């Protein structure tokens, strides 16, 4: 990128975009050509409170990504580009974009950034296919609880076996005393 001086309004826009790139857990780039304002409003609602969706000028967005230390996005900044900055659950936002793109084929997911690294549109779809954070945590908790129950049963088995052996020896001794008597 050439180091041409930029106007103050453009500099503030680049600074804001750079800050968004740095503070977001993920950023997804989309092409919105052909979507109405009502559809874009519907998309913003579908993304929820943890993601912001906005249109950005490609040259400013490229410069902001470079200033944020993100490489590999330059080829995605073609045509009309909108950026989704995700500050919360990345999977939830990716699902919202994927589902909206299925219902509105004019929205095209180009790719994005996840944890500071460029990802492809296919990888954004893979993120959307994951279960939500809450479901994954619930499954993990269930698996941990099951393993703890198994461990308790394994640790308890020798003790219960010893008790049963002692009871069997007492029964055998009692039988022997009854036979001797």
């Amino acid at each position: 990128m050439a180091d041409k001086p930029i106007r103050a309004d453009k500099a503030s826009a680049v600074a804001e975009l750079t800050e968004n790139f740095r503070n977001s857990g993920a950023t997804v780039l989309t092409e919105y050509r052909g979507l109405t304002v009502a559809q874009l409003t519907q998309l913003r609602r579908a993304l929820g409170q943890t993601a912001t969706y906005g249109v950005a000028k490609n040259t400013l967005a490229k410069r902001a990504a470079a200033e944020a230390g993100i490489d590999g996005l330059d080829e995605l900044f073609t045509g009309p580009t909108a950026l989704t900055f995700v500050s919360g659950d990345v999977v939830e936002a990716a699902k919202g974009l994927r589902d909206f793109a299925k219902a509105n084929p004019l929205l095209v997911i180009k790719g994005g950034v996840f944890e500071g690294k460029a990802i492809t549109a296919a990888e954004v779809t893979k993120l959307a296919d994951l279960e939500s954070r809450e479901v994954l945590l619930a499954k993990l908790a269930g698996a941990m609880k099951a393993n703890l129950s198994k461990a308790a049963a394994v640790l308890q088995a020798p003790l219960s076996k010893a008790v049963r052996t002692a009871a069997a020896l007492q029964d055998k001794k009692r039988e022997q005393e009854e036979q001797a008597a």
Side-chain angles (χ1 to χ4, degrees):
M1 177 121 303
D3 290 332
K4 294 190 276 183
I6 57 175
R7 293 191 330 235
D9 59 334
K10 289 184 179 182
S12 67
V14 169
E16 183 180 341
L17 287 170
T18 302
E19 194 66 25
N20 285 337
F21 272 116
R22 287 184 180 145
N23 293 334
S24 299
T27 303
V28 180
L29 283 73
T30 59
E31 183 174 325
Y32 61 92
R33 187 186 330 235
L35 291 175
T36 65
V37 173
Q39 289 171 321
L40 290 175
T41 303
Q42 181 184 4
L43 173 59
R44 285 184 177 99
R45 278 194 210 116
L47 290 174
Q49 299 294 322
T50 62
T52 58
Y53 186 84
V55 175
K57 193 168 183 175
N58 287 333
T59 54
L60 301 180
K62 269 188 207 181
R63 188 176 294 240
E67 286 182 16
I70 299 167
D71 297 324
L73 294 181
D74 288 349
E75 67 275 0
L76 300 179
F77 290 114
T78 58
T81 302
L83 302 167
T84 305
F85 293 106
V86 184
S87 58
D89 189 3
V90 175
V91 173
E92 184 181 323
K95 282 182 184 188
L97 284 168
R98 180 200 57 197
D99 295 344
F100 188 86
K102 281 182 183 178
N104 300 285
L106 294 175
L107 181 76
V108 177
I109 298 173
K110 296 179 176 184
V113 179
F114 181 64
E115 295 180 349
K117 295 190 171 97
I119 59 174
T120 64
E123 290 169 322
V124 173
T125 304
K126 285 181 184 176
L127 276 174
D129 292 340
L130 289 175
E131 293 174 332
S132 71
R133 184 176 190 272
E134 290 78 22
V135 171
L136 291 174
L137 287 174
K139 284 185 176 184
L140 178 64
M144 289 173 65
K145 181 179 177 188
N147 285 337
L148 288 175
S149 297
K150 287 178 188 175
V154 167
L155 294 174
Q156 193 175 11
L159 183 60
S160 62
K161 185 175 181 181
V163 169
R164 286 193 305 270
T165 304
L169 287 173
Q170 273 184 335
D171 291 344
K172 186 174 182 181
K173 185 178 179 183
R174 204 174 302 130
E175 282 179 24
Q176 288 175 347
E177 288 176 357
E178 288 174 5
Q179 288 176 357

